[in-house]
PDB file of all heavy atoms in Angstrom:
ATOM      1  N   CYS A  52      86.290  95.541 125.054  1.00  0.00           N
ATOM      2  CA  CYS A  52      86.193  96.956 125.472  1.00  0.00           C
ATOM      3  C   CYS A  52      85.148  97.036 126.574  1.00  0.00           C
ATOM      4  O   CYS A  52      84.546  96.067 126.950  1.00  0.00           O
ATOM      5  CB  CYS A  52      85.754  97.815 124.263  1.00  0.00           C
ATOM      6  SG  CYS A  52      86.962  97.867 122.914  1.00  0.00           S
ATOM      7  N   GLU A  53      84.964  98.221 127.105  1.00  0.00           N
ATOM      8  CA  GLU A  53      84.012  98.402 128.193  1.00  0.00           C
ATOM      9  C   GLU A  53      82.589  98.681 127.635  1.00  0.00           C
ATOM     10  O   GLU A  53      82.487  99.300 126.580  1.00  0.00           O
ATOM     11  CB  GLU A  53      84.413  99.621 129.058  1.00  0.00           C
ATOM     12  CG  GLU A  53      85.746  99.435 129.728  1.00  0.00           C
ATOM     13  CD  GLU A  53      86.168 100.698 130.442  1.00  0.00           C
ATOM     14  OE1 GLU A  53      85.450 101.112 131.328  1.00  0.00           O
ATOM     15  OE2 GLU A  53      87.223 101.239 130.060  1.00  0.00           O
ATOM     16  N   ILE A  54      81.584  98.238 128.342  1.00  0.00           N
ATOM     17  CA  ILE A  54      80.215  98.586 127.991  1.00  0.00           C
ATOM     18  C   ILE A  54      79.821  99.855 128.712  1.00  0.00           C
ATOM     19  O   ILE A  54      80.008  99.943 129.941  1.00  0.00           O
ATOM     20  CB  ILE A  54      79.236  97.434 128.360  1.00  0.00           C
ATOM     21  CG1 ILE A  54      79.641  96.160 127.565  1.00  0.00           C
ATOM     22  CG2 ILE A  54      77.799  97.807 128.109  1.00  0.00           C
ATOM     23  CD1 ILE A  54      78.845  94.909 127.909  1.00  0.00           C
ATOM     24  N   LEU A  55      79.370 100.810 127.961  1.00  0.00           N
ATOM     25  CA  LEU A  55      78.959 102.110 128.543  1.00  0.00           C
ATOM     26  C   LEU A  55      77.547 102.389 128.086  1.00  0.00           C
ATOM     27  O   LEU A  55      77.319 102.807 126.963  1.00  0.00           O
ATOM     28  CB  LEU A  55      79.909 103.181 128.078  1.00  0.00           C
ATOM     29  CG  LEU A  55      79.691 104.596 128.643  1.00  0.00           C
ATOM     30  CD1 LEU A  55      79.957 104.621 130.149  1.00  0.00           C
ATOM     31  CD2 LEU A  55      80.575 105.621 127.950  1.00  0.00           C
ATOM     32  N   GLY A  56      76.574 102.052 128.936  1.00  0.00           N
ATOM     33  CA  GLY A  56      75.170 102.225 128.548  1.00  0.00           C
ATOM     34  C   GLY A  56      74.861 101.277 127.442  1.00  0.00           C
ATOM     35  O   GLY A  56      75.006 100.053 127.546  1.00  0.00           O
ATOM     36  N   ASP A  57      74.430 101.803 126.291  1.00  0.00           N
ATOM     37  CA  ASP A  57      74.087 100.979 125.163  1.00  0.00           C
ATOM     38  C   ASP A  57      75.174 101.043 124.061  1.00  0.00           C
ATOM     39  O   ASP A  57      74.885 100.837 122.863  1.00  0.00           O
ATOM     40  CB  ASP A  57      72.735 101.367 124.581  1.00  0.00           C
ATOM     41  CG  ASP A  57      72.682 102.787 124.079  1.00  0.00           C
ATOM     42  OD1 ASP A  57      73.645 103.547 124.291  1.00  0.00           O
ATOM     43  OD2 ASP A  57      71.686 103.160 123.447  1.00  0.00           O
ATOM     44  N   ALA A  58      76.414 101.363 124.457  1.00  0.00           N
ATOM     45  CA  ALA A  58      77.491 101.459 123.512  1.00  0.00           C
ATOM     46  C   ALA A  58      78.780 100.851 124.072  1.00  0.00           C
ATOM     47  O   ALA A  58      78.863 100.570 125.258  1.00  0.00           O
ATOM     48  CB  ALA A  58      77.766 102.966 123.191  1.00  0.00           C
ATOM     49  N   CYS A  59      79.713 100.612 123.181  1.00  0.00           N
ATOM     50  CA  CYS A  59      81.034 100.099 123.591  1.00  0.00           C
ATOM     51  C   CYS A  59      81.988 101.246 123.706  1.00  0.00           C
ATOM     52  O   CYS A  59      82.003 102.151 122.896  1.00  0.00           O
ATOM     53  CB  CYS A  59      81.541  99.127 122.544  1.00  0.00           C
ATOM     54  SG  CYS A  59      80.498  97.644 122.347  1.00  0.00           S
ATOM     55  N   PHE A  60      82.830 101.196 124.727  1.00  0.00           N
ATOM     56  CA  PHE A  60      83.832 102.201 124.977  1.00  0.00           C
ATOM     57  C   PHE A  60      85.189 101.584 124.916  1.00  0.00           C
ATOM     58  O   PHE A  60      85.506 100.644 125.666  1.00  0.00           O
ATOM     59  CB  PHE A  60      83.594 102.853 126.333  1.00  0.00           C
ATOM     60  CG  PHE A  60      84.739 103.737 126.774  1.00  0.00           C
ATOM     61  CD1 PHE A  60      84.907 105.005 126.201  1.00  0.00           C
ATOM     62  CD2 PHE A  60      85.623 103.337 127.747  1.00  0.00           C
ATOM     63  CE1 PHE A  60      85.928 105.824 126.604  1.00  0.00           C
ATOM     64  CE2 PHE A  60      86.655 104.171 128.150  1.00  0.00           C
ATOM     65  CZ  PHE A  60      86.822 105.403 127.554  1.00  0.00           C
ATOM     66  N   CYS A  61      86.033 102.011 123.972  1.00  0.00           N
ATOM     67  CA  CYS A  61      87.347 101.443 123.761  1.00  0.00           C
ATOM     68  C   CYS A  61      88.393 102.579 123.752  1.00  0.00           C
ATOM     69  O   CYS A  61      88.109 103.676 123.311  1.00  0.00           O
ATOM     70  CB  CYS A  61      87.447 100.716 122.437  1.00  0.00           C
ATOM     71  SG  CYS A  61      86.185  99.474 122.136  1.00  0.00           S
ATOM     72  N   HIS A  62      89.607 102.268 124.186  1.00  0.00           N
ATOM     73  CA  HIS A  62      90.701 103.185 124.003  1.00  0.00           C
ATOM     74  C   HIS A  62      91.196 103.021 122.597  1.00  0.00           C
ATOM     75  O   HIS A  62      90.908 102.026 121.913  1.00  0.00           O
ATOM     76  CB  HIS A  62      91.836 102.839 125.002  1.00  0.00           C
ATOM     77  CG  HIS A  62      91.436 103.100 126.392  1.00  0.00           C
ATOM     78  ND1 HIS A  62      91.752 104.274 127.069  1.00  0.00           N
ATOM     79  CD2 HIS A  62      90.702 102.381 127.304  1.00  0.00           C
ATOM     80  CE1 HIS A  62      91.259 104.267 128.298  1.00  0.00           C
ATOM     81  NE2 HIS A  62      90.606 103.118 128.462  1.00  0.00           N
ATOM     82  N   ALA A  63      91.949 103.999 122.085  1.00  0.00           N
ATOM     83  CA  ALA A  63      92.403 103.946 120.713  1.00  0.00           C
ATOM     84  C   ALA A  63      93.871 104.270 120.596  1.00  0.00           C
ATOM     85  O   ALA A  63      94.422 105.057 121.369  1.00  0.00           O
ATOM     86  CB  ALA A  63      91.596 104.971 119.869  1.00  0.00           C
ATOM     87  N   ASP A  64      94.518 103.649 119.635  1.00  0.00           N
ATOM     88  CA  ASP A  64      95.918 103.868 119.362  1.00  0.00           C
ATOM     89  C   ASP A  64      96.042 104.076 117.862  1.00  0.00           C
ATOM     90  O   ASP A  64      95.650 103.172 117.073  1.00  0.00           O
ATOM     91  CB  ASP A  64      96.747 102.673 119.800  1.00  0.00           C
ATOM     92  CG  ASP A  64      98.228 102.838 119.499  1.00  0.00           C
ATOM     93  OD1 ASP A  64      98.743 103.958 119.673  1.00  0.00           O
ATOM     94  OD2 ASP A  64      98.882 101.846 119.107  1.00  0.00           O
ATOM     95  N   VAL A  65      96.503 105.249 117.412  1.00  0.00           N
ATOM     96  CA  VAL A  65      96.662 105.507 115.980  1.00  0.00           C
ATOM     97  C   VAL A  65      98.081 105.102 115.580  1.00  0.00           C
ATOM     98  O   VAL A  65      99.058 105.581 116.151  1.00  0.00           O
ATOM     99  CB  VAL A  65      96.465 107.038 115.683  1.00  0.00           C
ATOM    100  CG1 VAL A  65      96.673 107.310 114.205  1.00  0.00           C
ATOM    101  CG2 VAL A  65      95.091 107.466 116.150  1.00  0.00           C
ATOM    102  N   ARG A  66      98.125 104.233 114.560  1.00  0.00           N
ATOM    103  CA  ARG A  66      99.409 103.743 114.095  1.00  0.00           C
ATOM    104  C   ARG A  66      99.632 104.215 112.657  1.00  0.00           C
ATOM    105  O   ARG A  66      98.758 104.116 111.800  1.00  0.00           O
ATOM    106  CB  ARG A  66      99.440 102.234 114.143  1.00  0.00           C
ATOM    107  CG  ARG A  66      99.294 101.761 115.579  1.00  0.00           C
ATOM    108  CD  ARG A  66      99.291 100.287 115.717  1.00  0.00           C
ATOM    109  NE  ARG A  66      98.883  99.928 117.092  1.00  0.00           N
ATOM    110  CZ  ARG A  66      98.483  98.740 117.461  1.00  0.00           C
ATOM    111  NH1 ARG A  66      98.444  97.776 116.586  1.00  0.00           N
ATOM    112  NH2 ARG A  66      98.111  98.528 118.704  1.00  0.00           N
ATOM    113  N   LYS A  67     100.792 104.770 112.442  1.00  0.00           N
ATOM    114  CA  LYS A  67     101.189 105.326 111.138  1.00  0.00           C
ATOM    115  C   LYS A  67     102.184 104.418 110.458  1.00  0.00           C
ATOM    116  O   LYS A  67     103.153 103.963 111.095  1.00  0.00           O
ATOM    117  CB  LYS A  67     101.768 106.718 111.295  1.00  0.00           C
ATOM    118  CG  LYS A  67     100.815 107.717 111.925  1.00  0.00           C
ATOM    119  CD  LYS A  67     101.493 109.039 112.135  1.00  0.00           C
ATOM    120  CE  LYS A  67     100.518 109.981 112.826  1.00  0.00           C
ATOM    121  NZ  LYS A  67     101.082 111.309 113.023  1.00  0.00           N
ATOM    122  N   THR A  68     101.928 104.115 109.189  1.00  0.00           N
ATOM    123  CA  THR A  68     102.857 103.292 108.427  1.00  0.00           C
ATOM    124  C   THR A  68     103.121 103.871 107.086  1.00  0.00           C
ATOM    125  O   THR A  68     102.274 104.593 106.526  1.00  0.00           O
ATOM    126  CB  THR A  68     102.321 101.852 108.223  1.00  0.00           C
ATOM    127  OG1 THR A  68     101.011 101.925 107.613  1.00  0.00           O
ATOM    128  CG2 THR A  68     102.207 101.083 109.527  1.00  0.00           C
TER     129      THR A  68
END
Side-chain angles (χ1 to χ4, degrees):
C52 296
E53 298 174 60
I54 297 174
L55 183 65
D57 62 351
C59 297
F60 170 74
C61 306
H62 293 263
D64 179 39
V65 179
R66 299 179 190 163
K67 299 177 184 182
T68 55

